[in-house]
Amino acid sequence: MTHRHRKRLQRFLRDVMFHTPFVWMLLLLVGLWLLFAAGMLLAERAADGSSIDGYGAALYWGVAAFSTAGIADTPVTGTARFIGALWIVLGSVLFFGTIVATVTAYFMRPLQRPAKQIIDTIEYNLERLDDLSVEELELLKETTDGLIEHMEALKARKAEPGRAP
């Protein structure tokens, strides 16, 4: 992997971690998995015919049920079935919602216009100058020229006599 590709991968991972809900939703999902597994264990551990006899088995059940692979044993008690159904629905919504929200946030980020994002976009394009077309280079130049003109106009307004800083 070249240095340029490594930097792009690092930037992508940083963008996903800091500018999308991925990390928070993943932490929430893991926390709920641990909580629902504990609930499943409490509801099933004393039931006759239950395969969930320890926390490890409850954690496995949570993954198996969530994966919708059909390999999870059906809970025996009504309480455990309710907990399991709630986990499957809530976990699936959070998991797939996280994927959709992450992808949406990642691709919508350049459309937002805070100054930091404009600078990030310019830096990204400067890093890949060799890959840009002539039209893209002209657009990049126009954008940076416009930013410079805007900053000069702001400085000139602040420097006007009688104007408060």
Side-chain angles (χ1 to χ4, degrees), residues 43-144:
E44 286 281 292
R45 72 174 160 193
D48 289 334
S50 175
S51 63
I52 300 173
D53 54 359
Y55 193 59
L59 289 171
Y60 175 78
W61 181 90
V63 171
F66 174 75
S67 72
T68 67
I71 57 174
D73 293 335
T74 302
V76 177
T77 65
T79 303
R81 286 182 180 157
F82 177 75
I83 290 170
L86 196 58
W87 164 242
I88 291 169
V89 171
L90 188 60
S92 296
V93 167
L94 281 174
F95 177 74
F96 292 110
T98 298
I99 291 172
V100 169
T102 299
V103 170
T104 301
Y106 180 76
F107 285 109
M108 292 300 291
R109 187 168 175 255
L111 299 178
Q112 300 166 349
R113 292 324 235 177
K116 174 78 173 113
Q117 292 172 345
I118 292 171
I119 292 168
D120 286 347
T121 302
I122 292 170
E123 285 176 351
Y124 173 78
N125 283 309
L126 289 173
E127 288 173 2
R128 52 178 273 235
L129 278 176
D130 296 337
D131 300 335
L132 296 178
S133 68
V134 173
E135 293 82 21
E136 290 170 324
L137 287 169
E138 289 174 0
L139 181 60
L140 183 60
K141 183 185 180 312
E142 290 173 13
T143 303
T144 52

